[in-house]
Amino acid sequence: MEVKKLHRRQFLKKGALAGFAASTMHFAGAKTTTAAEPQETQASQDYKSYGDRSSFESSARKSEARSFPAHRTCPIQDTVGIITPSALHFVSNHSVPPNIDPKEYSLLIHGLVDRPLTYSLEELKRLPSVTRVHFLECNANSKPPMAKGSPTKILANGSLAFATAQDIWGRTSCSEWTGVPLSLLLKEAGLQSRASWIVSDSNDSMHFTYDLPLAKAMDDVLVAYGQNGEAVRPEQGYPVRLLVPGFEAPYSVKWLRQIKVVDEAYTPKTQAIEHAYSRPDLKGKALWLYYQIPPKSVILRPSGGQQLPGPGYYEITGLAWSGGGAIRKVEVSVDGGKSWKDARLQEPVHRMAHTRFRFDWTWNGQETVVQSRCTDEQGVVQPTLDELDKNWGIDSREFWRSATPEHGPFHFNAIQPWRVAQDGSVHYAMFS
Ligand SMILES: Nc1nc2c(c(=O)[nH]1)N[C@H]1C(S)=C(S)[C@@H](COP(=O)(O)O)O[C@H]1N2
Ligand SMILES: [Mo]
């Protein structure tokens, strides 16, 4: 057979590293070791019926500074592939989460419909389901961490000490979600002619409430009960949440209680107070709500707080995503933005999902800046910080220093530069 005839050396030649001369291909840090005898660490009868990861693995969520009552960032720099392990999915809770018995659960659909309906979880699961890979991203993700009250220290050269990808970019995650299309439930209930928006609320202590244009609700929104092959996690809204693909994550109401069909935007309190931002280009005189996430990408290895052991080959890897659909292209620059080359995209590329990119790099040991920029299926390109400033009509270098954690234009998608210093340390270099 063809495959069997390929010797190891031939195989390596055909591989991704074929372009690297053997002499330049010393792997920093790679050591020759002899295989150790496998250690019997756990008797097989000790394996749990619901398993844990290896005791050597320690990647973990982190509390955010503003952590009332529970905001947790995802260790995005440690993930591989495109699916975030459910146990590491970022968490954003604005009040006390409920603990819902699935037997007691019910979802009410009412308002401008012909037949108000309630569904138990079992009834929802009898309906035709779909499974799709989608990211969720908090509106506050990737905003510069230099606002007042931020724990991040600004160094003399403008670098931010200790700013890791998790600190800045950890409010996004990507899962395989399973559920019933919301359009199916709304059609069952029968939409009346004045119907144009929906308002969804939840079973948490504040009844977190958000509205959504009906056109989006009828397009691709899921009433989700599955996450990565099992029930939605308690932190993610067990037993049922809305999943609004490509929109800022607050639209995806967790612990979903009811959906009311209405004839105008309601802008409920949680939306108006916690998620509307003043427009700097209008001198802060107007509050603005954002919907679709713009194209974003970030290099995760190497990224802030990491340490390269020395010159040599490294795979640069990171994630790209866009609320506008599929990622078409990710370019990487390893020379401070002078030149850009296409990265490889992990296939298949899902629409409105994290997309893994990979890029071969041989670091020569000199200080440099690495960064990525993506383009989505609509041809929208991730902007530089200067382009973003121009769109918003601000000088961000001044703006971010005077901003407070609660105040400032979120929805931040500027290209993220990381500086690799000569000693191999990696730093946030957005403003330097
Ligand atoms: N019921 C309810 N839904 C909610 C929230 C909440 O506090 N309560 N937080 C919202 C916000 S601000 C975000 S960013 C996303 C986060 O989803 P996750 O916690 O599953 O990552 O959930 C949204 N849905
Ligand atoms: Mo959020």
Side-chain angles (χ1 to χ4, degrees), residues 66 71 90 92-94 137-140 171 208 249-250 275 277:
R66 46 163 201 134
H71 292 288
F90 85 97
S92 180
N93 291 348
H94 290 248
E137 184 180 31
C138 177
N139 48 300
R171 300 172 201 88
F208 185 92
H275 294 99
Y277 302 106

Side-chain angles (χ1 to χ4, degrees), residues 89-92 94 202 204 208 236 241 252 254-255 275:
H89 196 288
F90 85 97
V91 183
S92 180
H94 290 248
S202 57
D204 60 13
F208 185 92
Q236 264 63 67
R241 80 174 303 161
S252 293
K254 307 194 278 190
W255 312 292
H275 294 99

Side-chain angles (χ1 to χ4, degrees), residues 282-302:
L282 301 177
K283 306 275 171 279
K285 283 187 184 139
L287 287 179
W288 205 252
L289 285 165
Y290 296 93
Y291 295 85
Q292 188 176 296
I293 296 280
K296 302 181 75 157
S297 75
V298 60
I299 292 175
L300 299 170
R301 284 204 312 273

Side-chain angles (χ1 to χ4, degrees), residues 37-93:
E37 286 296 309
Q39 300 263 318
E40 193 70 48
T41 50
Q42 214 170 10
S44 56
Q45 64 265 32
D46 285 350
Y47 283 132
K48 295 183 176 161
S49 47
Y50 192 87
D52 295 328
R53 63 181 170 178
S54 161
S55 60
F56 295 104
E57 291 297 311
S58 56
S59 182
R61 292 169 175 151
K62 267 209 260 184
S63 292
E64 283 189 55
R66 46 163 201 134
S67 69
F68 174 80
H71 292 288
R72 297 283 183 277
T73 54
C74 170
I76 188 170
Q77 69 285 350
D78 300 335
T79 61
V80 295
I82 60 166
I83 300 294
T84 310
S86 302
L88 296 176
H89 196 288
F90 85 97
V91 183
S92 180
N93 291 348

Side-chain angles (χ1 to χ4, degrees), residues 287-429:
L287 287 179
W288 205 252
L289 285 165
Y290 296 93
Y291 295 85
Q292 188 176 296
I293 296 280
K296 302 181 75 157
S297 75
V298 60
I299 292 175
L300 299 170
R301 284 204 312 273
S303 63
Q306 294 174 356
Q307 176 74 43
L308 303 187
Y313 173 83
Y314 294 90
E315 181 186 74
I316 291 180
T317 180
L319 291 168
W321 60 95
S322 172
I327 291 296
R328 279 282 175 267
K329 183 159 81 164
V330 178
E331 296 154 287
V332 168
S333 171
V334 293
D335 56 9
K338 285 193 215 84
S339 67
W340 296 83
K341 281 197 192 116
D342 284 1
R344 300 185 298 278
L345 303 187
Q346 177 180 313
E347 300 280 346
V349 174
H350 297 277
R351 301 188 73 246
M352 297 166 278
H354 283 177
T355 300
R356 173 69 55 174
F357 62 88
R358 300 181 167 102
F359 186 87
D360 295 316
W361 180 44
T362 301
W363 183 42
N364 61 10
Q366 298 303 304
E367 173 166 318
T368 192
V369 170
V370 300
Q371 54 200 320
S372 62
R373 78 171 168 223
C374 66
T375 306
D376 70 13
E377 67 178 47
Q378 300 181 19
V380 183
V381 184
Q382 186 179 6
T384 61
L385 181 63
D386 286 341
E387 286 162 349
L388 195 73
D389 286 1
K390 220 172 135 200
N391 292 346
W392 279 344
I394 55 168
D395 175 355
S396 68
R397 285 149 188 85
E398 274 317 303
F399 183 80
W400 288 108
R401 276 166 221 272
S402 61
T404 60
E406 290 76 30
H407 189 79
F410 293 88
H411 212 75
F412 188 92
N413 73 324
I415 289 170
Q416 168 70 62
W418 302 110
R419 179 182 310 100
V420 180
Q422 225 167 2
D423 65 1
S425 59
V426 189
H427 306 267
Y428 181 84

